[in-house]
Amino acid sequence: MKIRRIYIDADAADDPVTEQVCRRIGLPVKRVNHPVEIYQQISASPDPEAAGKSVLLLTRNKGRFIRDCPGTTHYTCCGYQILHVGAYCSMDCAYCILQAYYHPPVLQFFTNHDELNEQLQSFFDQGVVGRIGTGEFTDSLIWEPLFPLAQQLVERFSRQDTGNLELKTKTAAVDDLLAISHNRKTIMAWSLNTQTVIRHQERATAGLSARIEAAEKCQASGYPLAFHFDPMILYPGCHADYEAVVHLLFARIDPANIVWISIGSFRFMPELKEVIARRFPDSTIIYGEFIKALDGKMRYFKPLRIRMYRWLIDRIREKAPDVLIYFCMEDEEIWEKALGFTPAAHGGLARMLDERAASMCGLNGRVQTR
Amino acid sequence: MQAEQRLIAIGDLVLSDRRYQITRPENTDRIANAIQGAGLINPPIVQAGQHGYILVAGFGRASACLNLQWRHIACRVLAGTTSPLDCLKIAVADNALTRQLNLAEQCRAVAKLREFCENARSLSALLEPLGLFIAPQLVEKLYRLFELPEDVQNATALNHISLNTALSLESIDRTSAEAIAGLFKSLRPTVNQQQEIFSGLHDLARLEETAIDRLLKIPEFAYILDSADLDRGLKLQRLRTAIRRRRYPTLSRAENAFHRRKRSLQMEAGMDLKPPANFEDTTFTMMMRFSSTRQLCRQAECLGRICEHPDLKAILNKEIEDS
Ligand code: SF4
């Protein structure tokens, strides 16, 4: 992480987490009464999205730590819950939605872990199987050099048996997690993409081999694994490239250790187009055959999505016939045409995934009908 | 303004020095005719320079007199102490107080005065007493327009390109910007069509790793643009279709397949079938408009028939033949 400056929100100044982070980083610290001054400074920069990655704001999460995934209308959501530990990311993917989600985006790490722990306890106490992850508004593992949050969470989840934690990352920084007793309650997950996409669209992320090598290490430590082919990007030669990813993956990873594989294609809010064009002038990902979809986001024209999904699924099935594959934010037509069934036939996607998590991670909670 | 009227040898005017030029007189014949008819009522304003007299205002009049082969011309000569800023103000006022300046002229006025003002707001305030009312936001846009090729500025002044479309041309190379200006000048698309054509060409050029001016020369587009048989309206329509087909090849194929199959259903008059927007949703709309029970019965019978039609199944399945 190339943080140049730390700001501490006055409310967070006395939190032990704040003190620990500052001690670890050893950078100049400035206390602010209201983050608005940081936002103004970042907004005035010629590249606010990059500027927001060089500043860390230590602040308290004033909303809920555990939230439902925002999902979107018309498309099937997996019913995942977000553990909102921080925001934004030190890596820099062209397609990253967070660039347009926050105005302006700033790296934020929440310090009120007392409240985080209380809310987690309530989540466990419900006795209901739940899938929760930290990789929605940030990458799950980028914070470890500042604070061993993932390590603490893995340990915390290992001591209960109703929920599982999914740590989703594009890093390979797993070494500190390998020796922790996880009790299979944490799923280590990687976003996968082709070498071309990683090289040109995912700045500062770990390479494909490094990600798979990290997954292999976690496999050896007994962690259940997950992989996300999301966002798939169409470009000339992409099919062969995705096939190469599948080969590489299954050459190192035993399908029996994979809890699920999700698939999704590049989609974006229209306002992200300008950000990508400005920040990634060599990227052509926004010039694909996109249409305005039912939720207002730009998506590849549906037959293109179906064709690309079918193709990838066939490749995965050749290697791992029984692995659970699901779509992230797609509708029933896509499910039916690309996978041959709809989640409704299995009690809904959330239930399908809850049951899978329960069996692969040894969860004992009730599986809810959602 | 301190000025003294003098008769100056026309060869002493440095017509190539355009530092104060706001207008670009296109047709000096009209001015020449007026001068021939009524004389030079309003003499040009000049200032003595190192190599002769620099024109401050009256470029059209001076050129007209030159074309009339006058040897001498009456001019108002500004004092040598008149500052460049004052000369510019005189240049603007001389034009703006007598007529409405077009956008390209406003653009030049703004660009020339820019270095003397701290910001757009103060420039706007400076222009107002000179008879030129330009809001600060527009001043900002005119700064940008001035950086674009002159063809684009002129096309904007003539309303062949909207100011916003012109400003989007900042993102492309100058030759392509000129090509777009020329295209819009000849096809006269509406503002929405301009945006559609520009963004289609821009995205295609990025995708195909080429420049817009080169893209416009590919046979698919050149065939339309160079056609002697098509009028302006048809060219515009065909060009838009061709751009869309190239930019969205699969969607265009899907639309074509849909229309072909719809035709094969041979629906009764008053019936229409509409696909979901962009074929994203799964709900199609069948409309039946009728004015008699007889017509409704015919439509109902037709409906029964097309429900069995294989093309309806293909439509609902959104089948597209491979290209
Ligand atoms: S790794 Fe994820 S959160 Fe980070 S920049 Fe990339 S897409 Fe955004």
Side-chain angles (χ1 to χ4, degrees), chain A residues 75 281 289 302 305 333, chain B residues 203 206 247 250-251 280 318:
Chain A
Y75 298 95
E289 211 173 333
K302 206 174 206 176
R305 300 195 325 260
E333 184 184 15
Chain B
D203 291 3
R206 288 299 324 274
R247 176 72 182 84
T250 326
L251 177 58
E280 178 67 14
K318 304 177 185 168

Side-chain angles (χ1 to χ4, degrees), chain A residues 201-338:
Chain A
Q201 318 294 342
E202 299 182 351
R203 292 176 189 156
T205 63
L208 178 62
S209 311
R211 292 182 208 180
I212 293 177
E213 198 174 303
E216 201 179 14
K217 285 186 197 168
C218 290
Q219 173 174 255
S221 292
Y223 279 99
L225 306 175
F227 297 95
H228 302 278
F229 284 85
D230 195 359
M232 287 188 77
I233 292 175
L234 281 173
Y235 59 88
C238 67
H239 284 76
D241 288 357
Y242 279 110
E243 183 164 16
V245 179
V246 172
H247 277 293
L248 203 61
L249 174 65
F250 290 108
R252 314 277 288 267
I253 302 298
D254 180 352
N257 292 322
I258 299 177
V259 186
W260 46 62
I261 292 178
S262 82
I263 302 179
S265 56
F266 177 38
R267 53 205 176 272
F268 56 98
M269 299 189 287
E271 48 280 30
L272 190 63
K273 186 173 179 183
E274 180 276 320
V275 179
I276 298 176
R278 172 169 48 81
R279 299 202 59 236
F280 296 81
D282 294 333
S283 171
T284 52
I285 58 171
I286 47 179
Y287 306 119
E289 211 173 333
F290 292 102
I291 51 96
K292 191 166 221 165
L294 301 168
D295 55 358
K297 287 188 184 163
M298 306 306 291
R299 288 163 187 264
Y300 286 117
F301 180 45
K302 206 174 206 176
L304 294 173
R305 300 195 325 260
I306 293 172
R307 200 180 304 160
M308 120 171 105
Y309 293 156
R310 270 188 192 150
W311 191 90
L312 180 67
I313 290 164
D314 286 348
R315 302 288 82 74
I316 294 172
R317 288 273 179 251
E318 285 166 7
K319 304 279 179 188
D322 300 323
V323 77
L324 188 153
I325 298 174
Y326 73 92
F327 292 117
C328 182
M329 304 313 297
E330 285 295 3
D331 68 5
E332 295 208 336
E333 184 184 15
I334 295 252
W335 275 84
E336 189 64 61
K337 288 183 174 170

Side-chain angles (χ1 to χ4, degrees), chain B residues 44-117:
Chain B
I45 303 170
V46 299
Q47 188 180 39
Q50 245 185 338
H51 307 291
Y53 289 95
I54 299 160
L55 269 162
V56 173
F59 280 81
R61 281 160 276 164
S63 306
C65 293
L66 188 71
N67 291 347
L68 291 170
Q69 295 180 337
W70 285 15
R71 296 258 177 99
H72 292 88
I73 181 170
C75 289
R76 282 172 290 164
V77 183
L78 292 171
T81 51
T82 312
S83 69
L85 171 60
D86 284 335
C87 288
L88 275 173
K89 284 160 101 176
I90 292 165
V92 172
D94 184 72
N95 290 290
L97 291 171
T98 50
R99 64 179 179 85
Q100 170 86 34
L101 296 191
N102 71 30
L103 212 58
E105 291 165 338
Q106 293 182 21
C107 184
R108 261 175 244 129
V110 159
K112 286 174 194 261
L113 282 164
R114 183 178 186 175
E115 65 174 289
F116 300 100
C117 299

Side-chain angles (χ1 to χ4, degrees), chain A residues 6-56:
Chain A
I6 305 181
Y7 290 91
I8 300 176
D9 196 346
D11 294 354
D14 299 328
D15 287 333
V17 172
T18 305
E19 199 244 304
Q20 219 174 313
V21 172
C22 293
R23 196 157 19 90
R24 272 210 191 196
I25 317 190
L27 277 174
V29 166
K30 190 174 174 206
R31 199 173 149 142
V32 287
N33 285 327
H34 201 286
V36 82
E37 60 179 275
I38 309 168
Y39 300 150
Q40 279 168 351
Q41 213 175 304
I42 285 171
S43 299
S45 137
D47 184 355
E49 295 80 9
K53 292 176 188 284
S54 65
V55 160
L56 170 66

